[in-house]
Amino acid sequence: MTSFDTSPQLNVWRALLALAVVFVMLATTGWTALRSHRESTALQASLTEWEQGGIHGLHLPDPHAAPAVLSRFFASLSPEDQRRLARRYPLAVGNMNGAPVTLRYRANHLALEQQREVERKRMHDSRLSAAGQQDAGLRMHRYESLLTRGRHILAFDPDGSGRIAEVFGSLDKAERISVVVPGVDTDLLTFQKTGRPYTAPVGMAEALYAAERAQSPAVRTAVIAWADYTAPDGLGMDAATGGRAAEGAVRLDALLDALPGRAPVAMVCHSYGSVVCGVAAHAMPRRVTDIAVAASPGMRVSSASHLGTGARVWAMRDASDWIQDVPYLELGGLGHGADPVSSAFGARVLSARDARGHAGYFQPGTDSLRNLADVAVGAYDAVTCAHDNDACRAGLSGASPAGRA
């Protein structure tokens, strides 16, 4: 729920929960069935071409194979052959878990260039309405921004509202990796913002990256702004249910399985992004050492112990955040379960007293951002607990009772 930093009409949520039984009845009678057929997308077309293609007379591997299988395939190729595949199938390679990170950057740059030209033509397509031409212009300018020298795009899918992921720092050389998972209203056009930049995934990740380097200058870090799932649009039914989270969790776990190296990984999940992380937690690889959630409406479980992960679970919520008024329960598939900052949930509760509203957790200078950075780099002795009893640091190796003043 990234874009909401003022209190919405929370009675909408309560009404949705009250209608849970009706929703379930409609679902079982087929009234809410989604159309299973979708037209081919640019990414699907690229994957199909890959599946039908080859190199040096040999068939290409299944693009959905395990990352380790694809990694071995690319390692068997010369650099020129790798680049040739990226040029032929840019969207397929750019989104292929197991392909070398730098090759994915190259492939997505090519795909962005191609899609920029598609939107440039659509801007002047007389068959489109004025609104359609304007939307094409917005997308074209977004692609131009993403093509700026020095940007590292790890995933890109132009279909629908779009999906994307960007890396800050070096994934290949990182000693610590953080993954920022944002909430509702996240897509290509909201991936970064000029006004209030730290409420958008790019600003969140940049702020976290800077805070990590300030905390531990000697530690090589990398941060991924991960908007590579279809987030709910506003506070409607999708935001009140776990369907989008379940779909996103599959994509998130696939990313984590394909990350290079062995660096520990910290998940930093905001609002509905914490629902995604909650659903994904049980299948996350063991290198995920920490899951930190901010402004969470719930993680689809009744307690942290039910997440099925060995990672440390952290939670924070500012007193001015409207999310605290959302009913923390699950009924008929609606709602996301227990409150992660409640004592009964069992998470380590961090201070967020400097944050302002629902979208203020990544603002530079706040204790919420400092705490997220401390967790991400493993500086547990420096975190500030939400309560005076230092409970959030209990049992952590090397954690001092003093913490940050």
Side-chain angles (χ1 to χ4, degrees):
M1 304 163 189
T2 303
S3 65
F4 292 86
D5 59 350
T6 57
S7 180
Q9 298 296 322
L10 289 173
N11 59 331
V12 172
W13 275 73
R14 295 188 177 95
L16 287 172
L17 290 169
L19 288 171
V21 175
V22 176
F23 174 78
V24 172
M25 291 176 64
L26 291 176
T28 57
T29 57
W31 282 51
T32 59
L34 299 175
R35 288 187 298 176
S36 60
H37 174 74
R38 297 183 64 193
E39 295 182 359
S40 178
T41 66
L43 174 54
Q44 289 168 338
S46 185
L47 288 169
T48 298
E49 291 173 359
W50 169 281
E51 291 170 340
Q52 297 172 349
I55 190 166
H56 301 311
L58 301 175
H59 289 296
L60 299 176
D62 181 352
H64 305 293
V69 172
L70 292 169
S71 179
R72 287 194 296 270
F73 165 72
F74 281 103
S76 72
L77 302 176
S78 68
E80 177 53 37
D81 282 342
Q82 291 184 9
R83 291 191 291 268
R84 184 176 293 115
L85 291 177
R87 289 193 298 269
R88 289 179 183 173
Y89 319 105
L91 278 172
V93 174
N95 291 277
M96 195 172 294
N97 290 314
V101 167
T102 53
L103 189 67
R104 291 180 67 170
Y105 297 160
R106 176 188 293 268
N108 283 319
H109 190 91
L110 294 171
L112 282 162
E113 287 181 330
Q114 293 175 0
Q115 291 301 312
R116 177 184 59 184
E117 295 312 306
V118 169
E119 298 302 334
R120 194 190 304 277
K121 293 177 180 178
R122 291 182 69 244
M123 288 173 60
H124 307 290
D125 190 338
S126 60
R127 295 170 297 179
L128 295 179
S129 65
Q133 292 176 340
Q134 182 181 31
D135 178 71
L138 291 172
R139 281 181 169 252
M140 192 272 289
H141 290 301
R142 169 61 73 233
Y143 296 153
E144 284 188 336
S145 174
L146 293 169
L147 285 165
T148 302
R149 185 178 179 84
R151 299 194 71 167
H152 299 142
I153 306 304
L154 184 65
F156 167 58
D157 182 357
D159 184 42
S161 59
R163 295 193 294 249
I164 192 160
E166 182 172 8
V167 176
F168 300 88
S170 172
L171 273 183
D172 288 320
K173 298 178 180 179
E175 297 170 299
R176 289 272 179 173
I177 297 173
S178 306
V179 183
V180 175
V181 184
V184 306
D185 287 340
T186 298
D187 56 31
L188 276 170
L189 296 182
T190 61
F191 186 57
Q192 64 185 84
K193 298 177 182 177
T194 302
R196 299 170 57 247
Y198 304 112
T199 67
V202 167
M204 291 176 176
E206 286 183 320
L208 182 62
Y209 184 51
E212 289 176 357
R213 288 181 295 170
Q215 162 57 243
S216 300
V219 177
R220 293 192 299 270
T221 64
V223 179
I224 303 173
W226 190 80
D228 193 25
Y229 81 108
T230 303
D233 182 12
L235 291 180
M237 185 69 76
D238 281 343
T241 61
R244 294 290 176 88
E247 295 169 0
V250 173
R251 301 183 66 83
L252 181 57
D253 285 328
L255 164 83
L256 297 173
D257 287 338
L259 289 177
R262 298 182 178 179
V265 177
M267 307 302 303
V268 180
C269 319
H270 179 252
S271 197
Y272 190 85
S274 69
V275 186
V276 179
C277 289
V279 177
H282 75 281
M284 289 178 179
R286 293 182 63 181
R287 66 189 293 188
V288 175
T289 58
D290 297 272
I291 302 173
V293 302
S296 177
M299 301 181 73
R300 306 293 294 180
V301 292
S302 58
S303 70
S305 63
H306 292 166
L307 289 170
T309 177
R312 287 170 285 269
V313 181
W314 309 78
M316 64 169 64
R317 186 176 66 219
D318 178 65
S320 64
D321 190 341
W322 58 260
I323 201 73
Q324 64 189 310
D325 296 322
V326 168
Y328 282 95
L329 52 86
E330 188 275 329
L331 176 64
L334 295 175
H336 301 302
D339 182 356
V341 303
S342 67
S343 58
F345 189 81
R348 300 173 182 272
V349 184
L350 297 164
S351 171
R353 64 180 179 272
D354 291 345
R356 291 293 179 268
H358 188 63
Y361 293 84
F362 293 83
Q363 184 70 33
T366 57
D367 60 339
S368 53
L369 178 62
R370 288 192 298 268
N371 273 328
L372 292 172
D374 289 341
V375 168
V377 298
Y380 307 122
D381 60 339
V383 301
T384 305
C385 299
H387 308 295
D388 295 332
N389 57 10
D390 296 330
C392 74
R393 289 194 298 272
L396 293 180
S397 176
S400 70
R404 182 189 291 113

